[in-house]
Amino acid sequence: MVAIGPRPAGSPAIEQTRKYIKDQLAASGLKAVDQAWDEETPLGKVHMVNLIVTIPGTSKDRLAITGHYDTKLFREFRFVGASDGGSSAAFLIELARVLKSRRNRLTIDIIFLDGEEAVLEWRGKDNTYGSRHYVETARRDGSLKSLKAMVLVDMIGDRDLGIRRDSNSTPWLTDIVWGTAAKLKVNNFLPALTTVEDDHLPFLAAGVPSVDIIDLDYDAWHTQRDTLDAVSARSLQVVGDVLLASLPQIEQHLSNPSNPSKR
């Protein structure tokens, strides 16, 4: 992303980032819609904005593909967040371009989530502001009923990419993604288990099958070393190849009305 740097929720820098994302999408004929609100945080009210791009499918049933674009607020050093915030935002921009030219069975919402990071410390409700707001809004307006699954990408830029299975994620959805990676002979999707608290938890709590694709084994995580020289475009490509190859099976699974594991 252009002029990548600190962009915590509510900052002038994240406003510039939103403009960049919107401009990149508009160049591909895609429109990002703001979902804006003011959120109470331990540091007072913070203005946050989720960006939503809808790519129509042949069905009104929806698949959400999400990631966050904010970075953690650090005052003691300059935190760039090239992988933790930057990689997911860049990935979603390119994925939206690819999906626009693909015939999709499901309507796909590409969601750039704000406020994933804790304002102070990751505990209680000081985290996942954007995903919680999206789910609460969808519950209120009734659109949650058409949301059949969610895929989350986070911290996928690591040069030494290693993505473990998250025990919080929905098993059938995880099996599809990891099974596809195995068929493609992609060895970055590891069989080892981990347990992750991330933007997928509000969706899971609302009954939406979800999977988190995240590399937590990243030495530069939340340090001043999370810069562009620590990440690789190849890692984003690998995740994109696996996710795109997984979509037909996800679509097929969700289109089977007798499947007991749809929710």
Side-chain angles (χ1 to χ4, degrees):
M1 295 173 69
V2 170
I4 190 167
R7 49 202 184 281
S11 66
I14 203 168
E15 291 181 14
Q16 296 171 359
T17 300
R18 279 195 287 274
K19 182 179 184 305
Y20 174 81
I21 292 171
K22 289 179 176 180
D23 288 348
Q24 290 295 307
L25 292 167
S28 301
L30 294 162
K31 182 179 180 181
V33 176
D34 288 7
Q35 185 182 65
W37 75 104
D38 292 324
E39 182 71 57
E40 281 291 348
T41 78
L43 294 181
K45 280 193 175 181
V46 175
H47 186 66
M48 298 187 185
V49 184
N50 293 332
L51 299 176
I52 305 169
V53 180
T54 299
I55 301 172
T58 57
S59 167
K60 291 184 179 179
D61 287 343
R62 294 182 298 125
L63 168 68
I65 304 177
T66 75
H68 75 99
Y69 70 101
D70 63 307
T71 56
K72 178 82 172 107
L73 174 63
F74 289 102
R75 291 189 171 88
E76 58 270 35
F77 60 86
R78 183 176 185 270
F79 180 62
V80 171
S83 187
D84 193 6
S87 65
S88 49
F91 178 87
L92 293 180
I93 291 171
E94 185 59 28
L95 185 69
R97 290 171 178 155
V98 173
L99 290 174
K100 182 177 182 288
S101 61
R102 176 184 181 270
R103 181 174 173 81
N104 304 294
R105 182 181 301 176
L106 296 169
T107 293
I108 299 176
D109 283 342
I110 305 289
I111 308 173
F112 298 79
L113 293 165
D114 201 351
E116 184 267 350
E117 298 285 5
V119 173
L120 292 180
E121 295 182 30
W122 189 287
R123 62 185 180 188
K125 291 188 175 182
D126 187 16
N127 53 69
T128 62
Y129 293 99
S131 52
R132 286 189 288 111
H133 181 80
Y134 179 88
V135 169
E136 289 163 8
T137 300
R139 198 195 306 272
R140 286 197 305 269
D141 66 20
S143 62
L144 190 64
K145 294 177 183 177
S146 65
L147 183 57
K148 303 304 179 183
M150 190 275 267
V151 176
L152 171 64
V153 294
D154 191 2
M155 290 175 60
I156 56 170
D158 189 353
R159 286 183 177 275
D160 185 22
L161 188 67
I163 302 168
R164 290 183 283 164
R165 295 173 63 109
D166 164 46
S167 62
N168 281 329
S169 295
T170 304
W172 70 259
L173 194 48
T174 305
D175 288 344
I176 287 176
V177 175
W178 262 252
T180 300
K183 289 177 184 176
L184 295 178
K185 295 182 169 38
V186 171
N187 59 10
N188 307 89
F189 286 73
L190 309 174
L193 278 175
T194 187
T195 301
V196 186
E197 294 183 9
D198 205 346
D199 273 321
H200 60 322
L201 295 187
F203 289 84
L204 288 165
V208 179
S210 304
V211 60
D212 192 4
I213 300 173
I214 183 171
D215 178 2
L216 279 176
D217 301 317
Y218 180 55
D219 290 340
W221 178 64
H222 282 187
T223 73
Q224 57 192 338
R225 293 181 287 107
D226 187 5
T227 55
L228 284 175
D229 58 357
V231 302
S232 167
R234 173 61 186 161
S235 296
L236 274 65
Q237 180 72 54
V238 164
V239 175
D241 289 344
V242 171
L243 181 51
L244 286 169
S246 300
L247 284 180
Q249 195 173 347
I250 294 172
E251 291 170 333
Q252 183 178 15
H253 185 100
L254 292 173
S255 67
N256 182 356
S258 63
N259 200 318
S261 62
K262 283 177 66 179
R263 271 209 184 279

